[in-house]
Amino acid sequence: MTKLKLGFAGVGRMGTPMVKRLIAAGYTVTVYDTNTVAVSALAGEGAGRATTPAELMGLCDVVLLSLPTPEIVHAVALGPDGLASGKGAKIVIDLSTTGPRTERQLAQGLKVADITTVDCPVSGGVGGAEKGTLAMMVACEVSVMETVQPILEVLGKPIHVGAEPGMGQMIKVINNLMSVTALSIASEALVLGTKAGLDPDVLIEVVNSGSGSSNATMTKIPKFVLPRSFDFGFSIGLSAKDIRLCLEESDALGVPMIVGGAVRQLLTVAKGDLGADADLTEIIKPIEEWAGVTVAGSKARG
């Protein structure tokens, strides 16, 4: 079977490794991004180039989006020279985290141009994008899922969650709230333990052997916090955006999220102190400052 020609808009930290995997799997991929350095790097590995989203549409059968904010997704898809104004591809797979309402607006705008939207946010970070192990929450008609599944399986594990655009986004923002909540409470607990004189390496070892373990204590804390490298690869600003999107949905549905509100508060403080580009794992730093201690593993302590 002839492989579909692919377009890819957004070749940042997540998009670049995904494009590399698609090229390695034998797909013809054309990329678009305002970052010409990133585009040139991928062109050197065999990707084609498009100068506008509209041009990208004319060079492929399916376009994938991996963009940082709802506003940028809207501009690339529906703005001047956007995807909707191009002729060619009939399917757009949105891998971004835009929130349910923006995704529904995106799908409606593309539908006018006879383009089908696949709502497909991903989870797993840069490491998952590099390894092809992303969790992929796919919302589209079953017939469309059959078309795009071989593409998505190059990038991770696609799970069909429903037919309506926005359903994948709803699961994604819930997942991200749960993830950053685990990191937030683990960070507070580590600071508390350190202040009480406990060895943070020992504390994490004990927690991970018991009921307090989570992805935060199993992965993020040992790999990025205790060594003080803080290079998980996802920014506080983007995390704050995701939590805002989730809590906007909870407000609209009348579902109180008391713990979620507290996590948003901590993210707001961390973003104000450290800047939007700071690594998400640095969320521990304001807590350390308030407590007057620094949490460091044995290697970081020397």
Side-chain angles (χ1 to χ4, degrees):
M1 181 182 294
T2 303
K3 291 182 181 290
L4 296 170
K5 293 180 181 179
L6 305 181
F8 207 106
V11 289
R13 296 192 68 176
M14 291 290 290
T16 290
M18 285 193 270
V19 169
K20 289 180 179 179
R21 290 195 62 84
L22 292 167
I23 292 172
Y27 284 97
T28 298
V29 185
T30 303
V31 300
Y32 165 77
D33 199 295
T34 55
N35 184 338
T36 57
V37 174
V39 170
S40 295
L42 287 170
E45 300 200 28
R49 307 184 193 210
T51 57
T52 67
E55 181 186 354
L56 187 67
M57 289 293 279
L59 297 172
C60 57
D61 304 304
V62 176
V63 171
L64 298 91
L65 307 180
S66 181
L67 300 164
T69 68
E71 294 77 16
I72 293 175
V73 170
H74 186 276
V76 168
L78 305 176
D81 287 327
L83 301 176
S85 62
K87 302 295 182 184
K90 291 299 180 183
I91 296 176
V92 170
I93 303 173
D94 186 13
L95 306 170
S96 320
T97 301
T98 63
R101 276 179 282 180
T102 296
E103 195 68 16
R104 289 192 289 268
Q105 292 168 1
L106 172 69
Q108 290 167 2
L110 291 177
K111 186 177 181 180
V112 173
D114 196 29
I115 300 166
T116 298
T117 299
V118 177
D119 174 18
C120 183
V122 302
S123 180
V126 175
E130 291 172 343
K131 297 172 186 175
T133 58
L134 294 169
M136 315 188 82
M137 303 144 235
V138 192
C140 61
E141 296 290 344
V142 173
S143 60
V144 179
M145 180 69 179
E146 292 173 353
T147 299
V148 302
Q149 186 159 349
I151 300 167
L152 300 180
E153 286 178 343
V154 175
L155 306 176
K157 181 182 179 181
I159 301 172
H160 190 247
V161 302
E164 297 298 321
M167 297 177 77
Q169 294 292 330
M170 191 72 242
I171 292 178
K172 175 62 190 296
V173 295
I174 289 172
N175 173 82
N176 281 19
L177 175 60
M178 294 175 70
S179 177
V180 74
T181 298
L183 178 61
S184 298
I185 194 61
S187 297
E188 290 185 344
L190 271 171
V191 172
L192 172 62
T194 301
K195 185 82 172 185
L198 297 175
D199 184 322
D201 289 316
V202 174
L203 174 58
I204 285 298
E205 181 182 358
V206 172
V207 167
N208 284 339
S209 67
S211 59
S213 62
S214 66
N215 176 267
T217 63
M218 297 289 288
T219 301
K220 296 185 183 74
I221 297 293
K223 288 187 176 181
F224 309 110
V225 176
L226 294 181
R228 307 297 291 181
S229 61
F230 301 113
D231 54 356
F232 171 58
F234 191 71
S235 73
I236 283 176
L238 287 178
S239 183
K241 178 262 296 182
D242 292 350
I243 302 319
R244 172 180 59 80
L245 292 172
C246 187
L247 296 186
E248 285 176 354
E249 293 300 317
S250 73
D251 288 343
L253 294 170
V255 178
M257 301 198 80
I258 298 167
V259 175
V263 172
R264 176 168 59 182
Q265 227 175 355
L266 179 56
L267 275 168
T268 299
V269 170
K271 181 180 173 182
D273 284 358
L274 305 170
D277 293 333
D279 194 85
L280 176 59
T281 53
E282 294 182 79
I283 198 171
I284 196 171
K285 288 184 176 180
I287 309 168
E288 292 175 325
E289 184 177 351
W290 298 330
V293 297
T294 298
V295 177
S298 57
K299 292 181 180 179
R301 295 194 301 266

